[in-house]
Amino acid sequence: IDEDSDWMTKILQSKSFLLIPPANIQAMFMRIQEVATRAGEIVIHQGDEGDYYYIIKSGRAKVTRSSKTGTELTLATLKDGDAFGEEALISEATRNATITMETDGFLMRLAKADFLALLKEPMINWLTSEQALAKVSAGARWLDVRLESEHANQGLPGSLNIPLFMLRLKVDSLNPNVPYILYCDTGRRSSAAAFLLSERGFQTYVLQGGIEAQQS
């Protein structure tokens, strides 16, 4: 029971959960499932469809991504209380990294439909183009989460560029005191990035419809 209360306390104290209505959190705790894992077990394979959102109750895991040339890049190490798996659920894309347990442990997992209904919506602030420009005038920064080639082709003036799959690795390069307006081509990748940054206490907004909506 102590371990359960420790885990729940850690989640409730995270900055991201301050944005979520108490009824949603209560429903999440009722629907979340505990899964035992072993060292070396692959929880998520890069390229798979997204099915669950995970929180590490105990144990340690690493996040890796394989490039087209076959080299493997370690993007992050995850520990107790860290969450993963949100990117594919929000962006409707396939998994963009592999998660491997480095130790035995326990994961808490929430099915995709429950995650989207209970956690995603309260944590994402959508802005129209006009609202976004007003925020930029007041000191917010544009953050393009598309690939470098996409950003080079049609990035907004003055925007930073950190591709979604690199965000965990590069998060320390961002200023926690600056609001960020995230964008991609459609809003899918940027909403996943906003969720990830909100979990880490950043103030984030998402450009509604992405770049494509601005150009249509």
Side-chain angles (χ1 to χ4, degrees):
I1 292 175
D2 285 348
E3 197 176 288
D4 275 351
S5 60
D6 281 356
W7 168 76
M8 289 183 178
T9 302
K10 198 173 283 187
I11 292 303
L12 293 172
Q13 286 173 342
S14 71
K15 293 173 183 174
S16 56
F17 277 79
L18 298 174
L19 303 170
I20 296 168
N24 290 34
I25 293 174
Q26 190 177 2
M28 180 197 81
F29 282 133
M30 289 171 66
R31 298 179 196 183
I32 206 160
Q33 306 166 309
E34 183 175 284
V35 185
T37 55
R38 311 292 294 178
E41 184 178 333
I42 296 176
V43 182
I44 284 177
H45 287 85
Q46 183 177 332
D48 283 358
E49 295 296 320
D51 49 2
Y52 291 98
Y53 170 67
Y54 293 90
I55 301 168
I56 299 180
K57 182 177 179 182
S58 63
R60 201 174 67 246
K62 67 175 178 176
V63 185
T64 57
R65 180 179 167 89
S66 298
S67 68
K68 288 175 181 168
T69 57
T71 55
E72 193 176 85
L73 176 68
T74 298
L75 299 176
T77 301
L78 306 176
K79 58 187 186 314
D80 296 11
D82 286 341
F84 62 89
E86 63 283 297
E87 293 102 319
L89 303 188
I90 298 175
S91 64
E92 296 287 343
T94 55
R95 298 291 194 186
N96 63 14
T98 294
I99 312 282
T100 308
M101 293 301 293
E102 294 191 312
T103 64
D104 293 353
F106 287 93
L107 301 178
M108 306 304 290
R109 70 180 190 185
L110 189 66
K112 179 179 180 177
D114 290 331
F115 167 79
L116 294 176
L118 299 174
L119 301 188
K120 176 198 164 189
E121 287 310 319
M123 282 177 64
I124 294 178
N125 301 304
W126 298 97
L127 294 181
T128 63
S129 188
E130 292 76 19
Q131 291 170 327
L133 289 170
K135 291 245 181 239
V136 170
S137 297
R141 292 288 309 270
W142 288 112
L143 178 56
D144 188 332
V145 299
R146 299 173 301 162
L147 300 176
E148 284 179 34
S149 55
E150 294 174 282
H151 175 70
N153 193 27
Q154 50 164 197
L156 294 176
S159 58
L160 299 170
N161 176 220
I162 304 178
L164 174 60
F165 75 88
M166 292 291 288
L167 203 51
R168 288 181 195 272
L169 194 62
K170 298 282 188 75
V171 72
D172 289 344
S173 68
L174 297 174
N175 184 342
N177 300 314
V178 172
Y180 288 96
I181 302 170
L182 290 83
Y183 72 91
C184 59
D185 46 356
T186 62
R188 286 181 174 178
R189 281 178 283 177
S190 46
S191 56
F195 187 93
L196 208 145
L197 289 179
S198 294
E199 284 184 311
R200 286 153 180 77
F202 285 86
Q203 186 182 349
T204 62
Y205 302 91
V206 183
L207 182 62
Q208 204 157 22
I211 289 274
E212 288 181 3
Q214 311 311 307
Q215 296 172 339
S216 55

